[in-house]
Amino acid sequence: MIEQPSWLAALLAHLGQSSIFAITLTIATYIAGTWLFRKLKHPIWCPPVLMSATLTAGILALLSIDFVDYQRGAQWVSILLGPATVALGVPLYQQIHHIRALWLPILATVPLAATLACAYAVGLAWWMGGTPEVMLSLAPKSVTAPIAMGITEHIGGSLSLMMGGLLVTGVVATLFVSLLAPLFGINDDRIIGFVLGVNGHAIGTVHAFSISPLAGAFSSLGMGLTGIFTALCLPFAVELLQ
């Protein structure tokens, strides 16, 4: 392994602890990921956030910058996830008349869907020999990031592993909904959007808004209700099982 010059090592150490570098890298890789997404003609299997995450991970590995240092520097970007999620209340308000008409099916669906999303992730991790930390980290993988981070910290999971599971879940859910909805003849934007929100959280919601404002509103609703239900019930279930 080639030893780095002292000045380069010092520079990389400084960059790793710099908030400006972390925030700039995050924004730059997202812009690059969006550009690649358009150049590749909007592939469903590889959304901009996945491309951005891959670019960010590659740059951090190339520069030998510890992820914990990067995460600490980019925490201001993470803080913005909360207001961004709350802002989804605007399309909800705009489509409230559609939501009122389906309030009973919505309330009946969310508890079952959220419970299954958590149960099969934990069940698969247990079946494959995952540690308790792995299972706790994957349990909130269908919840939007701001809520999932709080849940994971409370129940004792790993934030890094949870974020990885969150990313994979969003991409896979979006891909499968896009493939299976036409196959089963489902063309109602309300149903498609709601399923994307419940299973694909923010990544699914971004795709839902590309379908229609109605699909985006129902996806926002599904994502929000899934997050609330999981935040209320998952810590209680963990305490009960322990």
Side-chain angles (χ1 to χ4, degrees):
M1 183 176 179
I2 300 176
E3 185 177 351
Q4 296 176 340
S6 58
W7 65 268
L8 180 57
L11 176 61
L12 293 177
H14 175 71
L15 288 177
Q17 299 174 2
S18 171
S19 297
I20 295 177
F21 171 77
I23 294 172
T24 302
L25 176 62
T26 303
I27 296 173
T29 52
Y30 182 76
I31 293 173
T34 303
W35 179 81
L36 284 172
F37 182 70
R38 291 171 180 168
K39 282 291 183 181
L40 295 174
K41 299 182 179 179
H42 306 86
I44 299 174
W45 55 271
C46 195
V49 66
L50 178 58
M51 296 184 185
S52 305
T54 304
L55 287 172
T56 302
I59 292 172
L60 292 178
L62 184 64
L63 299 179
S64 301
I65 295 176
D66 190 85
F67 176 74
V68 175
D69 293 332
Y70 163 76
Q71 186 180 37
R72 190 183 301 115
Q75 63 181 339
W76 291 108
V77 178
S78 301
I79 291 173
L80 295 177
L81 289 173
T85 303
V86 173
L88 292 174
V90 175
L92 281 178
Y93 175 76
Q94 294 172 339
Q95 304 292 338
I96 192 66
H97 54 290
H98 291 291
I99 295 170
R100 283 175 178 167
L102 294 171
W103 67 271
L104 185 57
I106 289 171
L107 291 182
T109 301
V110 169
L112 178 61
T115 301
L116 286 175
C118 176
Y120 78 73
V122 174
L124 285 173
W126 173 80
W127 179 63
M128 298 181 71
T131 64
E133 183 184 23
V134 171
M135 289 186 280
L136 292 174
S137 303
L138 294 179
K141 54 92 184 152
S142 290
V143 180
T144 185
I147 301 176
M149 291 169 68
I151 296 173
T152 304
E153 290 178 344
H154 182 78
I155 64 178
S158 166
L159 281 177
S160 300
L161 183 57
M162 181 275 296
M163 292 300 289
L166 213 66
L167 179 61
V168 172
T169 299
V171 173
V172 173
T174 301
L175 176 61
F176 271 75
V177 170
S178 300
L179 293 176
L180 294 179
L183 184 63
F184 288 100
I186 301 172
N187 52 20
D188 190 327
D189 287 356
R190 297 172 299 177
I191 297 175
I192 295 173
F194 192 72
V195 172
L196 283 170
V198 169
N199 296 281
H201 49 81
I203 296 176
T205 300
V206 170
H207 180 66
F209 273 108
S210 71
I211 298 173
S212 72
L214 181 60
F218 271 81
S219 184
S220 302
L221 178 65
M223 180 178 66
L225 291 178
T226 301
I228 293 171
F229 179 83
T230 308
L232 291 174
C233 297
L234 182 56
F236 175 76
V238 171
E239 292 284 342
L240 188 64
L241 291 173
Q242 289 180 343

